[in-house]
Amino acid sequence: AVTILIQYNGEEPFAAFLKKYFAANKKYGSKDRKQIAHCCYCYFRTGKALDGLSPEEKILTALFLCSQAADPVLLDLRPEWADKISLSYGEKRAFLKLPGSVTDLFPWAGELSIGIDPIAFATSFLVQPDLFIRIRPGHEQYLKNLFTTKQVPFNIIAPDCLSFSAGTKLDELIVTNKEAVIQDYNSQQVGTLISLVKQDRLLQVWDACAASGGKSIMTKDRLGKISLTVSDIRENILHNLKKRFTEAGISGYTSVVADLSARDPLAPG
C-alpha cells in the first residue's frame, strides 16, 4: 500500500491506477488485492487529518479510524487497538492522542449549506457508502425476487433503486448494464428531473461530461428514443463508455472528445 501511494500522482482516477498496478504485479491474490486497496482507500478517507505521521503509521491509523470490526492487518500489527475498534471517531482520536479535531477531516465547514451538521458530515468520509443499483425498465420484480431467493440483503430506496451493504458481490447475480446499472443514489436523482421533460418531438440530448455514461443510460430509460451525443475530455474514458453502451443495448449515438474549458471545444483538431 505504501509503494502504491508513493507512486500515485493523481493524474488519473485511483481505481484505474490500482487496476494497472495489479495487472503489472500479478503476485497478489484476490484477498491481497482487496486488503491493499482497502488500506489505500482508508488512507485517502482521512484526508489531511493525519499529516505528520509516516506513510506506514498513517495507513494503520486510518485503517483503525475507518473500521468498526476486527481487521486482520490491525490484529497483526496493532493488537493493542483491538478492543477499541468499535469506539466513535472522537473516542479513537482521544485514545491515540491525535492532535487537532474532528473537523480536520473536512476543514471547509463554512462552505456547507445551512442545515448540514459539519461534524456528522466530516466523519461520514470515514464510512464506505452503500452500493446502489438502478434497475432498468422491465427487470424490477425479477431482480427483487432474485435477491430475495439468493438471500442477498437489500433495501428498497425507490421502485427502481436498491441499496446493498458495501462489498456485496452482485456481478455473479445480475447482467450489469443490461438488467441494472451500478449508480450512486445521488446520481440517480437526475432521473427525477429528466422525467419532467415534455417529449413532444425527438429530443437532442448532450451528456457533456459523460464519463462511463450512467446518466445517458438513465436518460434513454426515462425518455426512450432520443438523439444522444456524449463527450468527455479523454478518448479512453469514451472507450469505456462505448463498451458499457454495448452491454446496455444502446446504439445510434454520437461520441466526441471535447475539452469544455476551451473557447471552442468542438472545433476540429
Side-chain angles (χ1 to χ4, degrees), residues 112-262:
L112 295 175
S113 299
I114 296 175
I116 294 180
D117 183 335
I119 294 179
F121 184 76
T123 54
S124 72
F125 285 95
L126 300 176
V127 181
Q128 186 175 356
D130 287 342
L131 171 67
F132 293 89
I133 68 170
R134 181 182 61 80
I135 305 176
R136 300 196 66 198
H139 300 282
E140 293 89 350
Q141 197 56 52
Y142 164 71
L143 289 184
K144 290 174 184 176
N145 290 340
L146 175 66
F147 297 137
T148 300
T149 301
K150 297 292 185 179
Q151 298 183 335
V152 178
F154 65 90
N155 294 310
I156 300 176
I157 308 300
D160 61 348
C161 177
L162 305 181
S163 71
F164 304 80
S165 61
T168 301
K169 297 293 186 181
L170 296 180
D171 51 348
E172 296 179 358
L173 293 176
I174 67 174
V175 182
T176 309
N177 298 322
K178 180 179 180 181
E179 296 175 339
V181 176
I182 308 296
Q183 188 174 35
D184 182 75
Y185 183 51
N186 290 332
S187 295
Q188 293 189 37
Q189 299 313 295
V190 175
T192 303
L193 296 177
I194 292 173
S195 298
L196 299 176
V197 174
K198 294 182 179 180
Q199 194 172 7
D200 53 1
R201 54 186 172 79
L202 180 66
L203 295 178
Q204 293 183 317
V205 177
W206 178 14
D207 190 342
C209 186
S212 60
K215 294 185 179 69
S216 287
I217 297 174
M218 180 167 56
T219 303
K220 290 282 286 186
D221 288 345
R222 290 284 195 272
L223 300 180
K225 188 175 181 179
I226 57 175
S227 175
L228 177 63
T229 298
V230 294
S231 69
D232 214 298
I233 195 170
R234 292 194 296 271
E235 179 63 43
N236 65 316
I237 293 177
L238 294 177
H239 175 76
N240 295 333
L241 175 146
K242 292 171 184 177
K243 180 178 180 294
R244 195 179 189 192
F245 275 13
T246 298
E247 295 171 346
I250 295 176
S251 59
Y253 59 92
T254 300
S255 173
V256 181
V257 176
D259 179 0
L260 299 185
S261 66

